[in-house]
Coordinates of all heavy atoms in Angstrom, one line a residue:
Q152 N -3.7 16.0 31.8 CA -3.9 15.3 33.1 C -2.7 15.6 34.0 O -2.8 15.7 35.2 CB -4.0 13.8 32.8 CG -4.2 13.0 34.1 CD -4.0 11.5 33.8 OE1 -3.1 11.1 33.2 NE2 -4.9 10.7 34.4
Q153 N -1.5 15.8 33.4 CA -0.3 15.9 34.2 C 0.0 17.4 34.5 O 1.0 17.7 35.2 CB 0.9 15.3 33.5 CG 0.7 13.7 33.4 CD 1.9 13.1 32.7 OE1 2.6 13.8 32.0 NE2 2.0 11.8 32.9
S154 N -0.7 18.3 33.8 CA -0.4 19.7 33.9 C -0.9 20.3 35.2 O -2.0 20.1 35.6 CB -0.9 20.5 32.7 OG -2.3 20.5 32.8
S155 N 0.0 21.0 35.9 CA -0.4 21.7 37.1 C 0.7 22.8 37.4 O 1.8 22.7 36.7 CB -0.5 20.8 38.3 OG 0.7 20.3 38.7
E156 N 0.4 23.6 38.2 CA 1.4 24.7 38.5 C 2.8 24.1 39.0 O 3.8 24.7 38.7 CB 0.9 25.7 39.5 CG -0.3 26.5 39.0 CD -0.8 27.5 40.0 OE1 -0.2 27.5 41.1 OE2 -1.8 28.2 39.7
K157 N 2.7 23.0 39.7 CA 3.9 22.4 40.3 C 4.3 21.2 39.5 O 5.3 20.5 39.9 CB 3.7 22.1 41.7 CG 3.5 23.3 42.6 CD 3.3 22.9 44.1 CE 3.0 24.1 45.0 NZ 2.9 23.7 46.4
G158 N 3.6 20.9 38.4 CA 4.0 19.7 37.6 C 3.6 18.4 38.3 O 4.1 17.3 37.9
I159 N 2.7 18.4 39.3 CA 2.3 17.2 39.9 C 1.1 16.6 39.1 O 0.2 17.3 38.8 CB 1.8 17.5 41.4 CG1 3.0 18.1 42.1 CG2 1.4 16.2 42.1 CD1 2.7 18.5 43.6
T160 N 1.1 15.3 38.9 CA 0.0 14.7 38.2 C -1.3 14.8 38.9 O -1.4 14.6 40.1 CB 0.3 13.2 38.0 OG1 1.6 13.0 37.4 CG2 -0.7 12.5 37.2
Q161 N -2.3 15.3 38.2 CA -3.6 15.4 38.7 C -4.3 14.1 38.7 O -3.9 13.1 38.0 CB -4.4 16.4 37.9 CG -3.8 17.8 37.9 CD -4.6 18.8 37.0 OE1 -5.6 18.4 36.5 NE2 -4.1 20.0 37.0
S162 N -5.3 13.9 39.6 CA -6.0 12.7 39.7 C -7.1 12.4 38.8 O -7.7 11.4 38.8 CB -6.5 12.6 41.2 OG -7.4 13.6 41.4
K163 N -7.5 13.4 38.0 CA -8.6 13.3 37.1 C -8.3 12.3 36.0 O -7.2 12.1 35.6 CB -9.0 14.6 36.5 CG -8.0 15.2 35.5 CD -8.5 16.5 34.9 CE -7.5 17.0 33.9 NZ -8.0 18.2 33.2
N164 N -9.4 11.6 35.5 CA -9.2 10.6 34.5 C -9.1 11.2 33.1 O -9.5 12.4 32.9 CB -10.5 9.7 34.5 CG -10.6 8.9 35.8 OD1 -9.5 8.5 36.4 ND2 -11.8 8.6 36.2
L165 N -8.5 10.4 32.2 CA -8.4 10.9 30.8 C -9.8 11.1 30.2 O -10.7 10.2 30.4 CB -7.6 9.9 30.0 CG -6.1 9.9 30.3 CD1 -5.4 8.8 29.5 CD2 -5.4 11.2 30.0
N166 N -10.0 12.1 29.4 CA -11.2 12.3 28.6 C -11.1 11.6 27.3 O -10.4 12.1 26.4 CB -11.5 13.7 28.5 CG -12.8 14.0 27.7 OD1 -13.6 13.1 27.5 ND2 -13.0 15.2 27.3
V167 N -11.7 10.4 27.2 CA -11.5 9.6 25.9 C -12.6 9.8 24.9 O -12.7 9.2 23.9 CB -11.4 8.1 26.3 CG1 -10.2 7.8 27.2 CG2 -12.7 7.6 27.0
S168 N -13.5 10.7 25.2 CA -14.7 10.9 24.3 C -14.3 11.4 22.9 O -14.9 11.0 21.9 CB -15.6 12.0 24.9 OG -15.0 13.2 25.1
D169 N -13.1 12.1 22.8 CA -12.7 12.6 21.5 C -11.8 11.5 20.8 O -11.6 11.6 19.6 CB -11.8 13.8 21.7 CG -12.7 15.0 22.1 OD1 -13.9 15.0 21.8 OD2 -12.1 16.0 22.8
L170 N -11.4 10.5 21.6 CA -10.5 9.5 21.0 C -11.4 8.4 20.3 O -11.0 7.9 19.3 CB -9.7 8.8 22.1 CG -8.5 9.5 22.6 CD1 -7.9 8.8 23.8 CD2 -7.5 9.7 21.5
V171 N -12.6 8.1 20.8 CA -13.4 7.1 20.3 C -13.8 7.2 18.8 O -13.6 6.3 18.0 CB -14.7 6.9 21.2 CG1 -15.7 5.9 20.5 CG2 -14.4 6.5 22.6
P172 N -14.3 8.4 18.4 CA -14.6 8.5 17.0 C -13.4 8.4 16.1 O -13.4 7.9 15.0 CB -15.2 9.9 16.9 CG -14.8 10.7 18.1 CD -14.7 9.6 19.2
L173 N -12.2 8.9 16.6 CA -11.0 8.8 15.8 C -10.6 7.3 15.6 O -10.1 6.9 14.5 CB -9.9 9.6 16.4 CG -10.0 11.1 16.5 CD1 -8.9 11.8 17.3 CD2 -10.1 11.7 15.1
L174 N -10.7 6.6 16.7 CA -10.3 5.1 16.6 C -11.3 4.4 15.8 O -10.9 3.5 15.0 CB -10.3 4.6 18.1 CG -9.2 5.0 19.0 CD1 -9.4 4.6 20.4 CD2 -7.9 4.4 18.4
L175 N -12.6 4.8 15.8 CA -13.6 4.1 14.9 C -13.3 4.4 13.4 O -13.4 3.5 12.6 CB -15.0 4.6 15.3 CG -15.5 4.1 16.6 CD1 -16.9 4.7 16.9 CD2 -15.6 2.6 16.6
E176 N -12.9 5.6 13.1 CA -12.5 5.9 11.7 C -11.2 5.2 11.3 O -11.1 4.7 10.2 CB -12.3 7.4 11.6 CG -13.5 8.3 11.8 CD -13.2 9.8 11.7 OE1 -12.1 10.1 11.4 OE2 -14.2 10.6 11.8
A177 N -10.3 5.0 12.2 CA -9.1 4.3 11.9 C -9.4 2.8 11.7 O -8.9 2.2 10.8 CB -8.1 4.4 13.1
Q178 N -10.3 2.3 12.5 CA -10.8 0.9 12.3 C -11.4 0.7 11.0 O -11.2 -0.4 10.3 CB -11.7 0.5 13.5 CG -12.1 -1.0 13.4 CD -13.1 -1.4 14.5 OE1 -14.0 -0.6 14.8 NE2 -13.0 -2.5 15.1
T179 N -12.3 1.6 10.6 CA -12.9 1.5 9.3 C -11.9 1.5 8.2 O -12.0 0.6 7.2 CB -13.9 2.7 9.1 OG1 -14.9 2.7 10.1 CG2 -14.6 2.6 7.7
A180 N -11.0 2.4 8.2 CA -9.9 2.4 7.2 C -9.1 1.2 7.2 O -8.7 0.6 6.1 CB -9.0 3.6 7.4
C181 N -8.8 0.6 8.4 CA -8.0 -0.6 8.5 C -8.8 -1.8 7.9 O -8.2 -2.6 7.1 CB -7.7 -0.9 9.9 SG -6.6 -2.3 10.2
N182 N -10.1 -1.9 8.2 CA -10.9 -2.9 7.6 C -11.0 -2.8 6.1 O -11.0 -3.9 5.4 CB -12.3 -2.9 8.2 CG -12.3 -3.3 9.7 OD1 -11.4 -3.9 10.2 ND2 -13.4 -2.9 10.4
Q183 N -11.1 -1.6 5.6 CA -11.1 -1.4 4.1 C -9.8 -1.9 3.5 O -9.8 -2.5 2.4 CB -11.4 0.0 3.8 CG -12.9 0.4 4.1 CD -13.1 1.9 4.0 OE1 -12.3 2.7 4.3 NE2 -14.3 2.3 3.5
W184 N -8.7 -1.6 4.1 CA -7.4 -2.0 3.6 C -7.3 -3.5 3.6 O -6.9 -4.1 2.6 CB -6.3 -1.3 4.4 CG -4.9 -1.5 3.8 CD1 -4.3 -0.7 2.9 CD2 -4.0 -2.7 4.0 NE1 -3.1 -1.3 2.5 CE2 -2.9 -2.4 3.2 CE3 -4.1 -3.8 4.8 CZ2 -1.8 -3.3 3.2 CZ3 -3.0 -4.7 4.7 CH2 -1.9 -4.5 3.9
F185 N -7.7 -4.1 4.7 CA -7.6 -5.6 4.8 C -8.6 -6.3 3.9 O -8.5 -7.4 3.6 CB -7.7 -6.0 6.2 CG -6.5 -6.0 7.0 CD1 -6.1 -4.9 7.8 CD2 -5.6 -7.1 6.9 CE1 -4.9 -4.9 8.5 CE2 -4.4 -7.0 7.6 CZ -4.1 -5.9 8.4
G186 N -9.6 -5.5 3.5 CA -10.6 -6.1 2.6 C -10.1 -6.5 1.2 O -10.7 -7.3 0.5
F187 N -8.9 -6.0 0.9 CA -8.3 -6.4 -0.4 C -7.6 -7.7 -0.3 O -7.2 -8.3 -1.3 CB -7.3 -5.3 -0.8 CG -7.9 -4.1 -1.4 CD1 -8.2 -3.0 -0.6 CD2 -8.1 -4.0 -2.8 CE1 -8.8 -1.8 -1.1 CE2 -8.6 -2.8 -3.3 CZ -9.0 -1.8 -2.5
I188 N -7.4 -8.2 0.9 CA -6.7 -9.5 1.1 C -7.7 -10.6 1.1 O -8.7 -10.6 1.8 CB -5.9 -9.5 2.4 CG1 -5.0 -8.2 2.4 CG2 -5.1 -10.7 2.5 CD1 -4.2 -8.1 3.7
D189 N -7.4 -11.7 0.3 CA -8.3 -12.8 0.3 C -8.3 -13.5 1.6 O -7.4 -13.6 2.4 CB -7.8 -13.8 -0.8 CG -7.9 -13.2 -2.2 OD1 -8.7 -12.3 -2.4 OD2 -7.1 -13.7 -3.1
D190 N -9.5 -14.1 2.0 CA -9.7 -14.8 3.3 C -8.7 -15.9 3.5 O -8.2 -16.1 4.6 CB -11.1 -15.3 3.4 CG -12.2 -14.2 3.5 OD1 -11.8 -13.0 3.8 OD2 -13.3 -14.4 3.2
D191 N -8.4 -16.7 2.5 CA -7.5 -17.8 2.6 C -6.1 -17.3 3.0 O -5.3 -18.0 3.7 CB -7.4 -18.7 1.4 CG -7.0 -17.9 0.1 OD1 -7.1 -16.7 0.2 OD2 -6.6 -18.5 -0.9
Q192 N -5.7 -16.1 2.5 CA -4.4 -15.6 2.8 C -4.3 -15.1 4.3 O -3.3 -15.2 5.0 CB -4.0 -14.4 1.9 CG -3.8 -14.9 0.4 CD -3.5 -13.7 -0.5 OE1 -3.2 -12.6 0.0 NE2 -3.4 -14.0 -1.8
V193 N -5.5 -14.5 4.7 CA -5.5 -14.1 6.1 C -5.4 -15.3 7.0 O -4.7 -15.3 8.1 CB -6.9 -13.3 6.4 CG1 -7.0 -13.0 7.9 CG2 -6.9 -12.1 5.6
E194 N -6.2 -16.4 6.7 CA -6.1 -17.6 7.5 C -4.7 -18.2 7.5 O -4.2 -18.6 8.6 CB -7.1 -18.6 7.0 CG -8.6 -18.2 7.1 CD -9.5 -19.2 6.5 OE1 -9.1 -20.2 5.9 OE2 -10.8 -18.9 6.5
A195 N -4.0 -18.2 6.4 CA -2.7 -18.7 6.3 C -1.7 -17.9 7.2 O -0.9 -18.4 7.9 CB -2.2 -18.8 4.9
A196 N -1.9 -16.6 7.1 CA -1.1 -15.7 7.9 C -1.3 -15.9 9.4 O -0.4 -15.9 10.2 CB -1.3 -14.2 7.6
M197 N -2.6 -16.0 9.8 CA -2.9 -16.3 11.2 C -2.3 -17.6 11.7 O -1.8 -17.7 12.9 CB -4.4 -16.3 11.4 CG -5.1 -14.9 11.2 SD -4.4 -13.6 12.3 CE -4.9 -14.3 13.9

Side-chain angles (χ1 to χ4, degrees):
Q152 184 191 44
Q153 295 179 341
S154 64
S155 66
E156 293 181 0
K157 296 181 180 180
I159 302 176
T160 302
Q161 299 178 0
S162 59
K163 68 176 183 179
N164 296 325
L165 290 175
N166 180 11
V167 298
S168 60
D169 292 333
L170 285 173
V171 173
L173 293 175
L174 288 170
L175 290 176
E176 291 179 5
Q178 183 183 39
T179 299
C181 186
N182 290 340
Q183 290 173 322
W184 188 90
F185 275 96
F187 282 90
I188 304 176
D189 295 334
D190 292 340
D191 57 341
Q192 294 181 7
V193 175
E194 294 176 0
M197 292 301 298

